[in-house]
């Protein structure tokens, strides 16, 4: 099928990818187009900005988390509902696993999905040297998919002067420039950009940015590039199709287990496709707020505590004693529970905030989550149950990104770096609880999700019969 699309990538982090992507999404939306957006890699925050612009869900695509066939399927499933798709790259265009491999890079995603790429260059302080930089990115891989460039932090006059040389000497199109916008930028904190709801007057700022880009970019050229994207075959992978149509999945759908999902300012790091797979398998998602609600929703069959920023709300979370008691009661009573990173920290007996003040938490994990002031165990990992580790069979793929550690990380899984020899034990996985620092991507192993929901159904049935 035909899926009009292009990718916005960059030479390095900090080149203006997210800002320019949001501006382009806004101007396309203002033109009345139905647009889908995707973020390359395991980023949670950039898709939140995309979603804020488009007022719809933005999704992740990651060629480490999923094999090529699954990656194309996940893209096409969303893209087919829209007029055009925009992908935002990650880091520098070729930066992938361990910093030494193109696997899981923006280039790799462009290759797997056969998507034309526009390279964003931060041209501040440069003129003719941009040609050398573009030539390097074009020649590093013959199938780079780079079809054009946007020159960020450059004046219109200089862009106009350089465009003929870039297009004639390098054979790529210049889709315009982005002038310096000194009075607005996206602020960052320890885990990346601040959240969209924390940016004052975000919609007005995006409207202003879109107006600037309408004048400085060749928008008609961008639309033509999207239309030129090759057709893509993206059927549902046979393994996933068999699982979704199997007897066990049908049984889960009939039971329709309610899964309580923590979602508020403190717990907001959720892959939308994780929730989508839960729903495809028959789960009913019931959002709740550990910050603002007094108890977990009644009658739930399972619970999901995702990552986020609990360290920024440590006092408020600790002061909500009724919720802490309700969470612990659910786990103690056997409600199947998945907790990742921030959700894992919340389950501890104690948790530090950014200033290393200590607060009482749910007490499910007998330990303290503490601030380390540096990234720990950062990057992609494969996860195997410790009792199956010798088989070398990886059952889950995930990612770690945190400035905290724990006195009780768990030892029931073995995490391994896919590009290197480093490994360590992690995760508490006993009975109904699976809790640890790794963020999991469910489509890396849908059978894991089905097994979780089967446990939820079994518990729900026991409660019904009591």
């Amino acid at each position: 099928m035909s899926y009009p699309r292009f990718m916005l990538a960059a030479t390095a982090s900090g080149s203006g990818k997210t800002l320019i992507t949001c501006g382009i999404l806004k101007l396309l939306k203002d033109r009345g187009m139905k647009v889908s957006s995707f973020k390359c890699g395991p980023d949670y925050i950039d898709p939140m900005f995309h979603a804020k612009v488009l007022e719809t869900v933005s999704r992740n695509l990651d060629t480490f988390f999923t094999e090529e066939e699954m990656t194309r399927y996940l893209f096409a499933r969303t893209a087919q509902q829209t007029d055009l798709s925009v992908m935002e790259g990650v880091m520098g265009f070729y930066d992938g696993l361990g910093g030494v491999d193109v696997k899981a890079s923006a280039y790799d995603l462009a290759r797997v999905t056969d998507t034309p790429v526009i390279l964003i260059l931060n041209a501040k302080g440069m003129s003719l040297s941009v040609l050398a930089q573009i030539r390097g990115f074009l020649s590093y891989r013959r199938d780079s998919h780079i079809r054009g460039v946007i020159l960020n932090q450059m004046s219109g006059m200089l862009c106009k002067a350089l465009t003929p040389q870039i297009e004639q000497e390098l054979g790529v199109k210049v889709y315009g420039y982005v002038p310096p916008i000194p009075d607005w930028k996206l602020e960052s904190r320890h885990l990346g950009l601040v959240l969209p709801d924390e940016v004052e007057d975000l919609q007005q700022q995006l409207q202003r940015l879109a107006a600037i880009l309408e004048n400085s970019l060749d928008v008609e050229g961008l639309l033509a590039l999207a239309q030129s994207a090759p057709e893509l075959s993206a059927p549902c992978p046979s393994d996933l199709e068999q699982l979704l149509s199997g007897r066990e999945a049908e049984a889960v759908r009939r039971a329709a287990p309610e899964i309580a999902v923590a979602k508020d300012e403190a717990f907001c790091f959720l892959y939308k496709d994780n929730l989508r797979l839960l729903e495809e398998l028959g789960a009913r998602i019931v959002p709740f707020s550990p910050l603002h609600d007094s108890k977990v929703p009644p009658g739930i069959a399972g619970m999901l505590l995702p990552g986020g920023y609990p360290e920024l709300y440590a006092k408020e979370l600790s002061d909500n004693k009724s919720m802490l008691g309700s969470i612990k009661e659910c786990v103690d009573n056997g409600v199947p529970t998945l907790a990742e990173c921030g959700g894992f920290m919340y389950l501890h007996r104690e948790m530090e905030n950014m200033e290393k003040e200590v607060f009482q938490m749910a007490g499910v994990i007998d330990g303290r989550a503490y601030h380390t002031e540096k990234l720990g165990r950062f990057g992609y990992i494969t996860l195997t149950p410790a009792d199956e580790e010798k088989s070398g069979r990886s059952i889950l793929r995930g990612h770690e990104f945190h400035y905290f550690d724990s006195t009780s990380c768990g030892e029931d899984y073995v995490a391994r770096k896919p590009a290197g020899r480093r490994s360590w034990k992690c995760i508490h996985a006993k009975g109904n609880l699976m809790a640890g620092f790794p963020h999991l991507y469910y489509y890396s192993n849908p059978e894991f999700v089905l097994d979780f929901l089967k446990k939820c159904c079994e518990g729900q049935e026991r409660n019904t019969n009591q």
Side-chain angles (χ1 to χ4, degrees), residues 333-459:
N333 287 343
V335 173
T337 300
L338 297 176
E340 301 176 351
C341 203
F344 169 58
M345 291 162 55
Y346 178 64
L347 291 181
H348 279 63
R349 182 184 70 251
E350 296 175 332
M351 183 182 75
E352 293 181 356
N353 64 5
M354 295 296 293
E355 290 72 39
K356 297 191 175 184
E357 299 172 292
V358 179
F359 295 89
Q360 298 296 309
M361 291 293 147
V364 173
I365 304 295
D366 187 18
R368 174 183 291 187
Y370 59 92
H371 188 214
T372 63
E373 299 182 357
K374 62 180 181 179
L375 276 175
R377 303 183 293 280
F378 166 67
Y380 290 113
I381 52 173
T382 59
L383 291 160
T384 307
D387 57 4
E388 298 180 18
E389 198 271 333
K390 289 184 180 180
S391 70
R393 182 170 63 90
S394 170
I395 72 156
L396 283 171
R397 296 190 178 198
H399 186 269
E400 289 200 35
F401 190 84
H402 49 88
Y403 285 82
F404 281 72
D405 211 328
S406 169
T407 60
S408 181
C409 285
E411 297 188 341
D412 294 317
Y413 274 72
V414 175
R416 288 191 176 278
K417 286 287 189 182
R421 299 181 178 179
R422 188 181 175 199
S423 67
W424 60 92
K425 290 187 175 181
C426 61
I427 299 180
H428 294 266
K430 292 287 193 298
N432 61 304
L433 177 66
M434 183 170 176
F437 274 114
H439 295 275
L440 308 178
Y441 190 76
Y442 293 173
Y443 277 100
S444 73
N445 191 331
E447 289 185 3
F448 166 82
V449 183
L450 179 58
D451 287 343
F452 169 72
L453 291 177
K454 284 162 58 181
K455 289 182 180 179
C456 295
C457 293
E458 291 165 3

Side-chain angles (χ1 to χ4, degrees), residues 194-240:
V194 298
L195 302 182
D197 289 339
E198 299 175 81
V199 180
E200 187 176 354
D201 299 325
L202 177 62
Q203 292 298 337
Q204 292 91 328
Q205 295 279 21
L206 289 170
Q207 192 69 59
R208 173 174 166 245
L209 176 60
I212 292 171
L213 298 186
E214 277 279 8
N215 291 321
S216 68
L217 298 183
D218 177 7
V219 181
E220 297 305 323
L222 295 177
L223 296 176
L225 179 67
Q227 292 294 336
S228 75
E231 290 191 358
L232 194 67
S233 176
C236 180
S238 57
D239 290 350
L240 177 61

Side-chain angles (χ1 to χ4, degrees), residues 95-148:
D95 299 334
L97 289 184
V100 296
D101 197 316
V102 296
K103 178 70 174 175
S105 65
Y107 155 77
D108 198 35
L109 179 60
R111 179 190 63 81
V112 167
T113 60
D114 205 3
T115 297
V117 176
I118 301 162
L119 191 67
I120 297 169
L121 289 90
N122 187 340
K124 184 177 181 180
M126 300 172 68
S127 57
L128 195 61
S129 293
V130 299
L131 275 79
Q133 193 171 27
I134 297 167
R135 186 184 295 278
F137 274 81
L138 287 171
S139 63
Y140 185 67
R141 285 288 190 275
R142 288 185 178 180
D143 63 341
S144 71
H145 286 75
I146 297 171
R147 302 291 181 263

